[in-house]
Amino acid sequence: MRTRVKICGFTRVEDAVCAARLGVDAMGLVFYPPSPRNVGIDQAIEIVNALPAFVSVVALFVDAREARIREVLERVSIDCLQFHGDEPAEACRLYGKRYMKAVRMQEGIDISGLARQYHDAAGLLLDAYHPGAKGGTGSRFDWNRIPEQCALPIVLAGGLDESNARQAVQTVRPYALDVSSGVEAEKGVKDALKMAAFIREVNEGDRIII
């Protein structure tokens, strides 16, 4: 199976178009004001309208109000929701959209239990835990904590870049890798060469496995 690539935290049209041309499968838009990668609705519309066909758009929220999520869905063409806070399963199911639940890998996390709790999710996104941040920290967690079998697709995030993408594919064999800071020139500004190198390393990891 080919490992998919999601790049998160786009703020500029030109970066998103570049990523699509490089072959990214999905791109994330962050609707979380404390984040340096936060986008407004008009900004998100501009980015999405510039994309070619066959690229999925993921909207990231962190404990957002239902009204805010519905406002984004009414105005922006979103394919999948990503919940990165403490949202219970019932809150993730309100919108009639595929969703992923992000899990910050702090001690004591039960991945199998969460897979049962969020059984209708399109995947579990496993990210590094940081007490003061909700992702995008560039930190990596111990991949040995990921169970070999999970009822849901695993999307691996946290501290990924071109130097470890191939290793991540070969070690974890996730459904997808999710990268943000690892392909940036600065927060919210993507680097075309880093994005190309990351995707190339993922593809090379798949080729070696096959």
Side-chain angles (χ1 to χ4, degrees):
M1 183 183 73
R2 182 178 68 85
T3 305
R4 273 65 172 179
V5 174
K6 172 177 173 280
I7 298 179
C8 195
F10 287 94
T11 63
R12 307 194 307 173
V13 168
E14 57 266 38
D15 294 344
V17 171
C18 176
R21 289 174 176 167
L22 290 171
V24 72
D25 298 283
M27 52 185 64
L29 299 176
V30 177
F31 295 93
Y32 180 52
S35 171
R37 303 171 183 90
N38 180 64
V39 292
I41 287 180
D42 290 341
Q43 190 178 4
I45 292 171
E46 187 179 6
I47 292 170
V48 172
N49 286 348
L51 295 177
F54 312 126
V55 178
S56 295
V57 179
V58 181
L60 186 155
F61 296 95
V62 181
D63 298 319
R65 293 179 294 108
E66 180 181 342
R68 174 58 174 170
I69 297 174
R70 292 196 183 279
E71 180 186 17
V72 170
L73 290 176
E74 286 172 3
R75 297 187 56 194
V76 187
S77 181
I78 299 296
D79 300 296
C80 184
L81 298 172
Q82 180 177 322
F83 293 103
H84 226 285
D86 298 317
E87 302 89 353
E90 55 269 23
C92 301
R93 298 170 180 146
L94 292 174
Y95 308 98
K97 285 278 183 184
R98 290 181 303 151
Y99 75 90
M100 292 191 297
K101 183 68 184 76
V103 179
R104 296 191 297 156
M105 294 293 289
Q106 57 194 109
E107 290 300 323
I109 286 290
D110 178 6
I111 298 300
S112 297
L114 287 169
R116 291 190 296 271
Q117 183 180 346
Y118 296 91
H119 61 86
D120 57 343
L124 290 180
L125 186 146
L126 308 185
D127 200 356
Y129 172 76
H130 188 285
K134 300 284 189 178
T137 64
S139 300
R140 175 178 160 180
F141 66 92
D142 182 2
W143 296 339
N144 291 322
R145 297 175 60 201
I146 302 173
E148 289 187 11
Q149 300 294 328
C150 183
L152 293 176
I154 293 295
V155 179
L156 180 63
L160 296 172
D161 57 29
E162 64 182 276
S163 72
N164 59 18
R166 188 188 307 191
Q167 179 190 5
V169 170
Q170 295 172 323
T171 303
V172 180
R173 299 197 179 185
Y175 175 75
L177 298 186
D178 187 332
V179 63
S180 181
S181 61
V183 293
E184 287 182 329
E186 58 185 85
K187 290 183 178 180
V189 178
K190 304 306 181 189
D191 184 300
L193 293 179
K194 289 182 179 179
M195 290 194 292
F198 186 86
I199 293 171
R200 183 172 60 249
E201 287 299 303
V202 173
N203 292 339
E204 184 63 17
D206 282 337
R207 187 189 69 80
I208 293 172
I209 289 174
I210 293 170

